[in-house]
Amino acid sequence: MTWTGREVTDAELAVLRQLWRRNDATIRELTDALYPEGGHAHYATVQSLLDRLQTKGFVDREKDGRINRYRASVSRAELVGRRLRATADALCDGSMAPLLTHLVDNADLQPGDLEALRQLIDQLEDENLAGSKGGS
């Protein structure tokens, strides 16, 4: 099955963000972070979100005595990549160039960002040259 970026809802993404920040957490810790004034209904909501994320393969659960600890099994960078790929597939016939061009044209890039982009382009060009020489 092909993964699409739409498989993670906004509510699930909020849980993942907390797990990325904390490395791991209990349902209670997540509930307190996401719903500071929340009660039992919010606890149940977080539990349901974790169950769905675990079923989808985005979260792992580990038993710590009587308490379950949860950890994201997908990194933020991996999820960003998946979502960008899904967007490129859906809107740009699979080409990343229009998507990347739009992001760069409409972003408030700092000088360090521009240098990082130059280095990335140089690295990709070097890899492509090396790959084409090795295949000849």
Side-chain angles (χ1 to χ4, degrees), residues 77-112:
E78 186 178 354
L79 187 58
V80 167
R82 288 177 174 186
R83 283 193 163 191
L84 288 176
R85 172 52 54 203
T87 300
D89 289 346
L91 299 177
C92 306
D93 296 324
S95 174
M96 291 296 278
L99 182 62
L100 294 172
T101 300
H102 177 78
L103 290 172
V104 171
D105 283 347
N106 292 289
D108 183 19
L109 297 175
Q110 303 302 311

Side-chain angles (χ1 to χ4, degrees), residues 58-93:
F58 292 105
V59 168
D60 292 324
R61 178 177 55 123
E62 184 178 300
K63 211 79 165 127
D64 183 13
R66 291 182 14 187
I67 297 173
N68 291 315
R69 296 202 68 80
Y70 294 86
R71 176 183 306 257
S73 57
V74 62
S75 70
R76 182 186 307 263
E78 186 178 354
L79 187 58
V80 167
R82 288 177 174 186
R83 283 193 163 191
L84 288 176
R85 172 52 54 203
T87 300
D89 289 346
L91 299 177
C92 306
D93 296 324

